[in-house]
Amino acid sequence: MAASIIRPGPIQAGSKHPYLRRRAGLEPVTYPHPLAEPALSKTLGVPLWQEQAMALAIDCAGFTPGEADRLRKAMAAKNSPERVAQLRGRLLTGMAGKGIDRVASERIVGMIEAFSDYGFPQSHAQSMAGIIYASAWVKHHYPHAMLAGIMAHLPMGFYDSQTLIQDAKQHGIEVRSVDIQRSGVHATLEPHADQPTRRPAIRRGLTSVTGISELIAERILTARGPSAFRSVADVARRTRLPAKLMEQLATAGAFDGLGMDRRTALWSAGTYTGEIQDVLPGLGDLALAPELPAMTAAETTAADLDASGASATAHPAQHLRPLLSSRGALPARAARDLADQTRVQVGGLAKYIQRPPTAKGVAFGALEDETGMINLVFSPPVWDRTREVVLGAPAVVLEGHIERDRGSVNMIVHRAHALAGHARAHQPGRFR
């Protein structure tokens, strides 16, 4: 049912909240007319599937199967609102002939017309429900494999790499950074040698580094072969990668396992230009780096983000926590535990912002930090005031209140403030 209800058609038909209330036993099941009951009884008196719109036309308006199929085609057309509207007169006339009063007729026609904004056929909903159930089962029993599989096929789905990494950590699964010696083309599972019964860790793949295609990653694996790389110079010589990709790998920490800190590896990779040519022994090594300070924890996270869009070492909000705490901002996890209507401030990264046409100007999103996420809701006036900050600032502090409803927890946003100047280390080119 959930797969069907969050669709423009059922939302426009006013099905969402009545269905949820009826399912929870908070309101009685009713029908716009007794003739509508056969079509709507499965879904507690509200329409969720395209077939129900067709059944309503047949049962309540006397449509023939051929006319109902015309209605189905109209609902599936690109200009479906106009096509369905052309049948409105036929629907109302047919309902009047069945003795249905004008109020009930308009309600039933409204249900049918709403599906011109897209609704699932029941077969589609059933198939999607099967996929959701199977996915939930795998996520529950094998979360490490599930998350590694999703990370291996990005970009896909709704969530980005950082959110997937945080979800893995919430499930006690270690995520390891890309490594020139150990990473595969895509994300893989690595067992814990000292804890064989523990869930395997997820190793980020070479293609998680910006600029490293599957072809380039295969080239690196071929060059690596059974013999491990010995140094950055050895990687350059055996892979013959261009300097830009060598620098990207260094920035992402792919050379950390070669016994050299990230900034030194980046310096060494940057001295490499073009392809290593065949030279006399001892003359092909890259220039030695000068004495360089090691990156701070915040700089390491920023380098991860710059090179691969996510960090397995730490969430970027973690480095802002002292500042956020000083401003009274709670972590997302703590905010989710507050009572209904509690005023709250949270801080972190505003992500996954959406403003669907069916929401009447309301915007939705999530605030993510090192403890997880909390759902955000922006009323139209608040969105108009805060959209520039929410969409433009690297990190934000949001003020609002908690809303709890039948197990769901949202933060209703009142105000947004940018954490100006606190994401500069995330900009490219600041790690040398």
Side-chain angles (χ1 to χ4, degrees):
M1 297 293 186
S4 304
I5 201 167
I6 310 301
R7 302 291 152 190
I11 291 174
Q12 294 284 24
S15 301
K16 177 183 172 185
H17 294 296
Y19 177 79
L20 293 175
R21 288 194 296 266
R22 293 175 186 193
R23 184 176 179 181
L26 300 177
E27 73 172 50
V29 175
T30 61
Y31 301 94
H33 189 274
L35 290 176
E37 183 173 351
L40 302 178
S41 60
K42 279 187 178 180
T43 53
L44 309 182
V46 296
L48 297 185
W49 303 313
Q50 285 181 0
E51 291 91 341
Q52 290 176 299
M54 298 170 64
L56 286 171
I58 292 172
D59 295 342
C60 299
F63 270 40
T64 65
E67 287 177 309
D69 191 56
R70 247 183 82 206
L71 176 63
R72 177 191 64 78
K73 290 177 180 177
M75 289 189 293
K78 287 185 178 180
N79 58 339
S80 55
E82 295 83 356
R83 295 273 300 274
V84 173
Q86 292 173 3
L87 298 171
R88 181 179 178 83
R90 168 69 180 88
L91 287 165
L92 290 173
T93 301
M95 290 183 198
K98 291 261 189 177
I100 301 175
D101 64 57
R102 186 72 180 189
V103 173
S105 295
E106 288 288 352
R107 187 177 171 194
I108 294 169
V109 170
M111 289 178 174
I112 294 171
E113 287 180 332
F115 277 83
S116 64
D117 283 323
Y118 184 66
F120 272 179
Q122 186 174 355
S123 59
H124 190 158
Q126 186 170 351
S127 297
M128 190 169 183
I131 292 171
I132 291 170
Y133 180 86
S135 299
W137 188 92
V138 173
K139 177 73 180 290
H140 178 74
H141 293 283
Y142 302 98
H144 50 294
M146 177 81 164
L147 290 166
I150 295 173
M151 292 172 69
H153 291 86
L154 290 175
M156 64 166 285
F158 189 69
Y159 297 113
D160 62 23
S161 296
Q162 191 65 65
T163 299
L164 293 172
I165 289 171
Q166 290 305 114
D167 187 55
K169 291 180 178 180
Q170 298 299 319
H171 286 83
I173 301 164
E174 180 185 351
V175 180
R176 297 169 178 172
S177 300
V178 61
D179 189 301
I180 198 71
Q181 303 280 46
R182 298 177 176 84
S183 289
V185 174
H186 301 293
T188 54
L189 296 176
E190 285 187 0
H192 298 272
D194 56 337
Q195 297 174 286
T197 59
R198 183 180 169 188
R199 285 173 172 167
I202 299 173
R203 172 70 69 180
R204 298 192 74 193
L206 292 167
T207 51
S208 66
V209 179
T210 303
I212 303 294
S213 65
E214 289 189 9
L215 189 61
I216 294 294
E218 293 285 3
R219 178 171 157 188
I220 293 171
L221 294 184
T222 300
R224 187 171 73 195
S227 176
F229 293 117
R230 299 184 301 277
S231 64
V232 175
D234 188 35
V235 174
R237 188 178 303 111
R238 287 160 63 176
T239 64
R240 297 182 176 270
L241 292 177
K244 182 178 180 180
L245 294 184
M246 289 290 292
E247 291 179 348
Q248 281 290 90
L249 288 165
T251 302
F255 301 142
D256 288 359
L258 295 175
M260 128 180 354
D261 69 81
R262 197 175 300 200
R263 185 167 272 125
T264 301
L266 181 55
W267 178 284
S268 299
T271 62
Y272 171 65
T273 56
E275 293 187 345
I276 296 293
Q277 303 295 318
D278 292 330
V279 294
L280 294 173
L283 298 180
D285 288 343
L286 301 179
L288 295 176
E291 194 73 27
L292 297 170
M295 285 186 182
T296 64
E299 288 173 333
T300 298
T301 299
D304 290 338
L305 294 172
D306 181 71
S308 67
S311 176
T313 57
H315 192 280
Q318 184 174 327
H319 306 296
L320 299 172
R321 184 52 53 195
L323 173 65
L324 293 170
S325 297
S326 72
R327 297 186 57 164
L330 292 180
R333 181 187 296 166
R336 289 200 308 271
D337 292 335
L338 295 175
D340 186 43
Q341 301 303 310
T342 303
R343 297 293 292 261
V344 66
Q345 287 191 97
V346 295
L349 311 183
K351 303 174 75 170
Y352 312 120
I353 305 298
Q354 300 180 76
R355 200 183 189 196
T358 54
K360 301 179 181 179
V362 177
F364 306 92
L367 190 288
E368 181 181 285
D369 64 16
E370 74 278 17
T371 69
M373 291 195 299
I374 185 167
N375 295 327
L376 305 175
V377 179
F378 301 82
S379 67
V382 170
W383 179 247
D384 291 340
R385 294 197 310 268
T386 62
R387 66 183 302 275
E388 187 173 343
V389 170
V390 172
L391 296 178
V396 295
V397 172
L398 303 177
E399 299 178 37
H401 72 270
I402 296 299
E403 181 182 78
R404 309 185 78 91
D405 183 22
R406 294 191 291 272
S408 68
V409 181
N410 298 312
M411 177 180 175
I412 310 302
V413 180
H414 302 166
R415 282 173 286 276
H417 311 281
L419 285 179
H422 293 285
R424 290 182 181 175
H426 296 188
Q427 298 172 1
R430 296 185 60 87
F431 317 111
R432 300 187 183 185

